[in-house]
Amino acid sequence: MNHAHGMGSKRPWPFAVAGLASAALLFGTAELVSAFFGGSSSPMVAMGGSFIDITPPWLKDLAIGLFGTADKIALFVSIALVAAVAAAGIGLLSRRRPNAAYAAIAALGVAMSASVLSRPATGPLDVVPTIVGVFSGLAALAFLRPRAEAALQEGPVAIELRAEGGAPASSGGSGRRAFLAWAGAAALLAAAGTLAGRAASGVRNLAAATRDALRLPAPASPAPPLPGGLEPGIEGMPPWQSPNTGFYRIDTALVVPEVDPSTWSLRVHGLVEEEFTLGFDELLALELEEAWVTLTCVSNPVGGDLAGNARWLGYPVRKLLDRARPLDEADMVLSTSIDGFSASTPLEVLTDERDALLAVGMNGEPLPLQHGFPVRLVVPGLYGYVSATKWVVDLEVTRFDEKTAYWTDRGWSDRGPIKLASRIDVPRGFARVPAGSVALGGTAWAQQRGISGVQVRIDDGDWVEAELAAEASVDTWRQWSYAWADAAPGRHTVTVRAVDGDGEAQTAERADPVPDGASGWHSVTFTVE
């Protein structure tokens, strides 16, 4: 009876480990093989992309609010955790029903293959990494399963048999040690495959090498000289010009598209009199213009940092559309990225005199890969989800009542003008600052209207005017400062609001980013000591 009880009380952890090791080898092998195919051929990337496609707006907004520009890392970690739970479950299933476990892996392979094929610019060959990975996972589970059974026999029963002089199920604990060694070897192979796949992808990244060798032409119309005094000179303030490496990135691409400029082209078509296709060399030969433009993400919460200011080089979109000659009935341009993302931009915004650019340069160098190399759209006055299409390959002149875009299909507004906003950058929330004179500073923006004033309120006091730094243009953000003299020790709250160039004051009404951008006053609480 004791022997039977000992056998029944065992926890089949080796089978869960076998499932985890097999899944790791599946994904590691697929990642290695995917280095020789397209970026979306990785099943992990494809599943992440499919998840983003079905993500409701509230969940997307929650993820960006929690993780900011690390949202993609958080997504991959979440997928890995779900995959680990499923893998452990399949491993446990394999103990009693091995054929069902193998069938489950095959079914997952079919689902992952379907996910790969659902991604833009993928074809039948892109499922090869998934197929190879699935066979690796099946082979690993078939190999580890009997060894997991042997490891399981190294439990209480084997010890009890030794105490009674009986023969152990396996000698010297070698079954458990052998199983752990084999499972560890599978995990190491999986890690090596993943790392090798990433390294091979980097070596094969022709887009990066081409970008590094590219020399952009000088602009035919350079940006006007910047005035002095753009920054208030307060320690801790962000720079007025956002560096490329620190510029925020929010998009739907889990793997940055690798676009060879020699094969890139832009198709302009739809409700136009003249359809045409533009190549990269043709684009660089046009009269390019420079402009300073602040971009803002619609998911930016009140006081958030999903905004950046840069000097862009590109060709005016209005001139492209002048060549195409849109029909009178058209009212929208649907821009599409090589990875399938699309944005709906009002036609009048792209044909007026604002600096809407088909951009090739950012802060004096070619666009970084993650910011749209070789070509993207930059449109002042609109949130990025309806205007700032990266890796753009298609402009379709159409109508709002005939076509919809990626995020408008998911509940967001179809136009997205940027709302007047201001934030406090110094001091940070919950900071501790010395008593006396306390420097307050921040940033405000209202693209296409500019900033004419910023006011701050300390605790429940009156609103007072802050000092504005210089303004480069109505399309760039503007920094502000306020010297709070004789700050008393204790806990304090400062609130900020802005006034745009049209005299409109920033609303106090709180609104979530969904469906057309956040609103409300930004406040920061800190301690003077």
Side-chain angles (χ1 to χ4, degrees), residues 276-288:
F276 63 90
T277 300
L278 184 71
F280 190 68
D281 289 340
E282 294 176 88
L283 176 58
L284 294 187
L286 297 174
E287 293 187 347
L288 304 183

Side-chain angles (χ1 to χ4, degrees), residues 175-235:
R176 180 176 300 177
R177 286 196 299 269
F179 168 74
L180 291 176
W182 283 115
L188 287 175
L189 283 174
T194 300
L195 293 175
R198 291 294 87 204
S201 295
V203 171
R204 292 179 61 254
N205 193 339
L206 299 178
T210 303
R211 179 194 177 274
D212 292 343
L214 180 63
R215 296 297 176 263
L216 295 175
S221 177
L226 292 175
L230 289 170
E231 298 179 350
I234 298 176
E235 184 178 355

